[in-house]
Amino acid sequence: MESAIFKQKSNYLRVFVLCFFTAVLLFLPHCIIDAVAGGGYFHYAGDFNDQQINFYQYANAFLKHGGSFSWATDLGSGFVNSYSFYLLGSPFFWLSMVVPAKFMPWAMVPLLCLKMAVAGGGAYLWARRWVRSEPWSMLAGCLYAFSGFSIYNIFFNHFLDVVALFPYMLAALDDAVLDGKKGRFPFWVALNLVNNYFFFAGQAVFLVIYFFCMAAGRRYKIGPRKFALLAWETVLGCACGCVLLLPAGLSLLQNPRTIDPFTGYGYLFYGKSQQYGAIFYSAFLMPDAPYFKDMFQEGILKHTSLTAYLPLVGIAGGVAFCRAKPRHPFAYIIKVCIVCAFVPVLNSAFYALNSSYYARWYYMPILVLCGATCALLARPDPAERELPRAFALTTFITLTAAVFAVVPNKDDDGNFKLGVLDEPARFWAVFGVTVLGIVIFGLLWHFCRKKRQWSAILTAAVLAFSLVYGSLHLSLTKYAQWDVDGDLIAETYDSVDDVAAVLPDDGFYRIDAYGAHNNLGLWFDKSCLQFFNSTVAPSIMEFYPEVGVKRDVNSKPDVENYALRGLLSVRYTLVAKDKESEWTDKDLPGWRRCAETDAYAVYENENYVPMGFTYDYYVTAEQLERVSEEERAQILCRAVLLDDDQISAFGGILQPLPDAELTNRSEETYAADCADRRAAVADFTATNTGFTAKTAYDTDELVFFSVPYDDGFTATVNGEPAAVEKVDDGLMAVYVPAGENDIVLTYHTPGLKISTILSAVSIAVYGLYLLILRKTSREG
């Protein structure tokens, strides 16, 4: 039966507006600073600058032109799998498609404000049932929208899409189980799944915890029939939202970053003891910048979203609630989540048991913590009884953090110093504002808790304090990198036309960058060796380590690996003007300064090899293993790496590389090899679905293309199907006969067709299901 609270007028719009304009006030000063001193739109730090702004702009333009293969993504990657984790399923991104691509950087802040407003509204809707007080439910929404997790993850931007949508799914689950409302849950399951498949895996785990805790707390009373109906709606929602799941799954199974299981003690204990301290204090102190360590120096702490802070009220309300109602489902959920946070294998259950540490699931228990806090405050008797003791305890624990600044220690030279902090000023700022929040809440509790407008006073205080601590967090994150990111717009957005004017438009080639920002290729629509994206073609992850390049979240081949530039058809390097002296000091072979823009000195590769060329020799894996990884590119400029089956197939047109050639790795030999490879295909054209090429060789040849191998590619030669060979540990080649040939490689995202059909059929079934529900409700 529907709860009586839902018969009251909803304040959703009020919460939405409050959160939206609070977010506007939070960002406005920094937008003004950027407009005056930064040269244009709001830019922040790290991932926000290097990924989120250019991802949104590039994806906006790419989709409007259509296509399946993105040449500007690293060495080239399928568009869907490269961007489905970041934005492709996000309703916020699709809403932004109404904005012209060139204006997307200016749309990022309005989108952030919208996400916070949607998050606050969703949390309010979910909290209404449990808090049973409209004013206090509104506070729950505001606490969730401006929690430490939300403020921290402005840095990652697309994480806030997940934060915004999750409460609606949880509210729909409550509606389905407690009120018997049918049809809503599948919609929110589908939307959360299509929004972000990675986070949805964690949401599924949390929903199981939530369900069983609700059942254990006797709030969910569900029989076999209702359970079967809930299971049906869950499966239906997953089927409706699976359009991006299957392609992503097929790609991720080949990605080494997603296959990293625990071993031994790793299941039970974190490798560094300080990790436990960081997890513990994350609930008491406001978060510092994602890329800094303050109190704790050991452990995996940077970029982990490790914070469970609530503005002003902290976790005192949650602690008091657990003491007042120890058998309430919220108390069970909070306690289970605390255990999960401290046990590695349970923490990783939210990320498919991957051993890499993250706390990016905390927004879910934070939502419950917001509900528990406001449910307690809405009931004066338990609040009066339990909150003072809980507040005293949490205040004491928070104050103990000061010990880290005064504990006796020694510096690197063995001299005495106070504290274990690398950045004491930053710590005291974080600590001071956190304590300020404690003081304000204590005073408000003492003087205002008996007032009629107590809930409104506290809500206003929470929003005002969110501006204070949020501005401090933004400032600590943004301006600490101002010397690095102050020229972001000048080197990216403002340089698009300048770079286009000096780089010739005479065919395909790659570029490189030195001393510049990440992902320049997305701004200039060129394949660039320096690229920051975690979900590129898996073969890139396979290829780069074999040539001495670490490939985890980004590609950053050292400039000293000069032979890699010839192998990968790099024609120009953009050198940031302030780093040009460093570049010239390296005295790299085969580069000459050919042009400049306001931001860059442009160097041309004299050993440039156009895309698509042939070899006289092949090399075996056993031979290549005798060469250091950093010098293997020099060998690969002379011989193509083949496996045993390929040697059997193509040994007649290629000769085995003599072992003596393995030691011939001089700069002069590299230049000669590049000259020998320069007799490339007659015409190579990169398209938005792959590429085409023409050849006219006198003999049969195996044509090498430095394009990441992908199962999604199909090839034809003169209209006839041809095999795509995986060579060089991740790149590709195509066999062509003597004479004139037309090569066409077309990319289709693996699994996308099947998942699209499944999703479309499921949506049709869902529509029919809704019609049946409507008809039966009318008849009833």
Side-chain angles (χ1 to χ4, degrees):
M1 188 174 185
E2 188 170 354
S3 175
I5 189 69
F6 296 119
K7 296 179 181 179
Q8 300 181 29
K9 181 181 178 181
S10 173
N11 286 286
Y12 178 87
L13 185 59
R14 291 180 64 187
V15 177
F16 184 96
V17 171
L18 276 173
C19 293
F20 183 85
F21 283 104
T22 301
V24 169
L25 292 175
L26 175 63
F27 288 108
L28 185 60
H30 305 284
C31 291
I32 294 173
I33 291 172
D34 279 330
V36 174
Y41 52 81
F42 171 81
H43 54 280
Y44 192 32
D47 291 43
F48 189 91
N49 292 349
D50 289 340
Q51 288 188 325
Q52 299 300 319
I53 296 174
N54 50 51
F55 282 7
Y56 263 72
Q57 173 161 308
Y58 176 76
N60 184 304
F62 186 93
L63 286 169
K64 288 174 179 175
H65 287 90
S68 59
F69 192 77
S70 168
W71 286 98
T73 301
D74 210 296
L75 300 179
S77 291
F79 177 79
V80 170
N81 288 335
S82 295
Y83 296 99
S84 58
F85 168 67
Y86 293 98
L87 51 77
L88 197 51
S90 167
F92 299 99
F93 167 72
W94 286 102
L95 178 63
S96 75
M97 288 293 287
V98 302
V99 179
K102 66 183 294 185
F103 297 128
M104 270 310 305
W106 280 269
M108 297 301 289
V109 166
L111 283 173
L112 285 169
C113 296
L114 177 62
K115 293 173 187 179
M116 290 183 165
V118 172
Y124 156 78
L125 289 179
W126 169 80
R128 290 181 80 196
R129 176 185 302 279
W130 304 106
V131 176
R132 297 182 177 276
S133 166
E134 283 295 298
W136 291 108
S137 297
M138 292 174 63
L139 175 59
C142 295
L143 283 171
Y144 180 73
F146 296 99
S147 70
F149 191 93
S150 295
I151 297 297
Y152 182 110
N153 286 294
I154 292 169
F155 185 88
F156 295 106
N157 178 47
H158 70 113
F159 292 6
L160 293 184
D161 302 31
V162 181
V163 173
L165 297 178
F166 174 71
Y168 297 88
M169 181 167 64
L170 203 60
L173 176 63
D174 286 340
D175 290 344
V177 177
L178 296 173
D179 297 333
K181 291 181 178 178
K182 306 177 183 69
R184 296 182 183 179
F185 190 54
F187 173 81
W188 290 109
V189 168
L191 188 60
N192 277 268
L193 173 55
V194 77
N195 175 59
N196 194 295
Y197 57 84
F198 178 77
F199 279 90
F200 185 80
Q203 291 172 347
V205 173
F206 183 83
L207 287 183
V208 171
I209 294 172
Y210 185 87
F211 181 89
F212 281 105
C213 288
M214 283 291 174
R218 301 181 181 278
R219 296 309 191 274
Y220 278 10
K221 297 177 181 179
I222 186 168
R225 183 177 178 182
K226 184 180 284 190
F227 184 83
L229 181 61
L230 183 63
W232 151 250
E233 290 202 341
T234 302
V235 172
L236 180 61
C238 290
C240 290
C242 74
V243 62
L244 299 176
L245 179 63
L246 180 57
L250 293 174
S251 179
L252 291 174
L253 286 174
Q254 303 173 61
N255 188 326
R257 290 196 72 226
T258 61
I259 305 172
D260 186 18
F262 289 101
T263 57
Y265 282 108
Y267 285 97
L268 305 176
F269 301 102
Y270 292 112
K272 301 292 184 180
S273 60
Q274 292 184 26
Q275 192 79 36
Y276 294 98
I279 294 170
F280 179 74
Y281 276 99
S282 69
F284 296 93
L285 295 173
M286 64 160 281
D288 195 0
Y291 53 85
F292 270 107
K293 298 179 181 180
D294 286 330
M295 294 167 58
F296 303 96
Q297 305 304 315
E298 296 181 357
I300 304 172
L301 307 175
K302 295 181 180 180
H303 306 112
T304 59
S305 304
L306 180 56
T307 175
Y309 178 74
L310 293 185
L312 204 69
V313 301
I315 65 165
V319 172
F321 183 91
C322 290
R323 294 179 59 134
K325 297 189 173 184
R327 297 185 182 277
H328 193 281
F330 286 0
Y332 293 155
I333 294 167
I334 291 170
K335 292 171 185 176
V336 169
C337 289
I338 290 173
V339 173
C340 289
F342 283 94
V343 180
V345 68
L346 298 180
N347 185 82
S348 70
F350 296 92
Y351 304 108
L353 298 178
N354 191 291
S355 64
S356 298
Y357 178 80
Y358 291 109
R360 292 172 180 171
W361 58 278
Y362 279 20
Y363 65 96
M364 295 181 284
I366 284 173
L367 176 60
V368 175
L369 181 62
C370 293
T373 298
C374 294
L376 179 86
L377 291 170
R379 294 159 179 77
D381 289 343
E384 289 280 356
R385 184 174 64 254
E386 299 292 346
L387 189 58
R389 287 191 294 172
F391 180 68
L393 174 63
T394 56
T395 299
F396 171 76
I397 294 173
T398 303
L399 293 176
T400 62
V403 172
F404 291 85
V406 298
V407 65
N409 193 19
K410 291 183 178 181
D411 60 22
D412 293 338
D413 296 325
N415 299 317
F416 175 81
K417 74 168 188 175
L418 282 178
V420 293
L421 308 173
D422 282 348
E423 299 281 347
R426 296 179 63 88
F427 167 79
W428 286 117
V430 168
F431 181 80
V433 170
T434 302
V435 171
L436 174 64
I438 291 173
V439 171
I440 293 173
F441 180 69
L443 292 174
L444 290 175
W445 172 262
H446 182 75
F447 290 106
C448 300
R449 73 180 187 275
K450 301 291 186 181
K451 293 181 180 291
R452 190 174 180 181
Q453 297 299 318
W454 166 222
S455 60
I457 293 171
L458 186 56
T459 299
V462 165
L463 292 175
F465 183 74
S466 295
L467 292 176
V468 174
Y469 103 91
S471 293
L472 174 62
H473 179 86
L474 288 178
S475 298
L476 291 174
T477 305
K478 175 179 173 64
Y479 302 111
Q481 287 197 342
W482 187 259
D483 59 330
V484 175
D485 293 327
D487 58 1
L488 174 73
I489 298 175
E491 289 189 4
T492 54
Y493 190 90
D494 289 347
S495 288
V496 172
D497 292 336
D498 292 345
V499 170
V502 299
L503 295 184
D505 186 18
D506 58 356
F508 177 87
Y509 54 84
R510 290 195 174 96
I511 62 172
D512 198 3
Y514 183 82
H517 293 277
N518 281 310
N519 295 343
L520 292 187
L522 296 180
W523 292 103
F524 306 141
D525 199 21
K526 297 283 186 185
S527 177
C528 182
L529 263 61
Q530 311 297 321
F531 199 79
F532 182 18
N533 180 313
S534 302
T535 54
V536 295
S539 55
I540 294 175
M541 311 277 190
E542 184 179 354
F543 165 73
Y544 267 136
E546 297 302 319
V547 290
V549 178
K550 180 183 178 182
R551 213 317 174 174
D552 41 27
V553 297
N554 53 19
S555 302
K556 286 192 173 183
D558 291 336
V559 292
E560 289 80 5
N561 197 339
Y562 58 85
L564 193 60
R565 275 66 184 177
L567 178 69
L568 299 179
S569 298
V570 173
R571 187 173 177 182
Y572 297 99
T573 292
L574 305 180
V575 180
K577 286 282 187 69
D578 59 344
K579 298 293 183 180
E580 189 173 13
S581 60
E582 290 183 14
W583 166 270
T584 54
D585 288 345
K586 292 181 181 296
D587 193 26
L588 300 170
W591 293 94
R592 68 175 186 86
R593 200 178 199 270
C594 65
E596 67 175 294
T597 67
D598 290 342
Y600 299 106
V602 182
Y603 283 78
E604 184 174 12
N605 184 7
E606 295 176 332
N607 295 314
Y608 163 64
V609 181
M611 175 69 82
F613 50 83
T614 62
Y615 289 93
D616 297 321
Y617 297 101
Y618 69 82
V619 64
T620 67
E622 186 274 330
Q623 285 179 300
L624 203 60
E625 286 176 359
R626 300 182 219 162
V627 180
S628 66
E629 291 176 348
E630 292 75 13
E631 294 184 302
R632 287 178 184 174
Q634 292 171 285
I635 302 300
L636 294 177
C637 285
R638 192 175 318 145
V640 62
L641 173 62
L642 302 180
D643 62 28
D644 291 340
D645 291 338
Q646 291 167 335
I647 291 172
S648 299
F650 306 115
I653 60 176
L654 293 170
Q655 303 174 49
L657 184 71
D659 286 346
E661 290 293 318
L662 296 175
T663 58
N664 189 6
R665 302 194 295 269
S666 66
E667 295 175 7
E668 294 76 18
T669 302
Y670 160 67
D673 289 332
C674 289
D676 291 341
R677 303 284 82 75
R678 208 161 286 142
V681 297
D683 180 25
F684 179 91
T685 303
T687 69
N688 59 4
T689 57
F691 63 88
T692 62
K694 297 181 184 296
T695 64
Y697 297 114
D698 294 332
T699 61
D700 297 353
E701 296 285 359
L702 185 65
V703 185
F704 168 80
F705 299 98
S706 58
V707 179
Y709 178 87
D710 195 300
D711 292 336
F713 273 111
T714 57
T716 62
V717 176
N718 299 326
E720 297 296 325
V724 180
E725 301 292 338
K726 183 178 181 180
V727 300
D728 285 9
D729 284 319
L731 304 181
M732 64 171 60
V734 176
Y735 167 79
V736 297
E740 295 184 358
N741 297 285
D742 289 324
I743 304 172
V744 178
L745 270 85
T746 305
Y747 184 79
H748 299 282
T749 305
L752 182 61
K753 183 178 180 180
I754 295 174
S755 63
T756 301
I757 293 173
L758 176 58
S759 185
V761 170
S762 300
I763 290 172
V765 172
Y766 177 53
L768 180 62
Y769 177 57
L770 292 179
L771 289 175
I772 294 172
L773 291 177
R774 184 178 182 183
K775 182 179 179 180
T776 54
S777 65
R778 284 181 174 179
E779 292 176 352

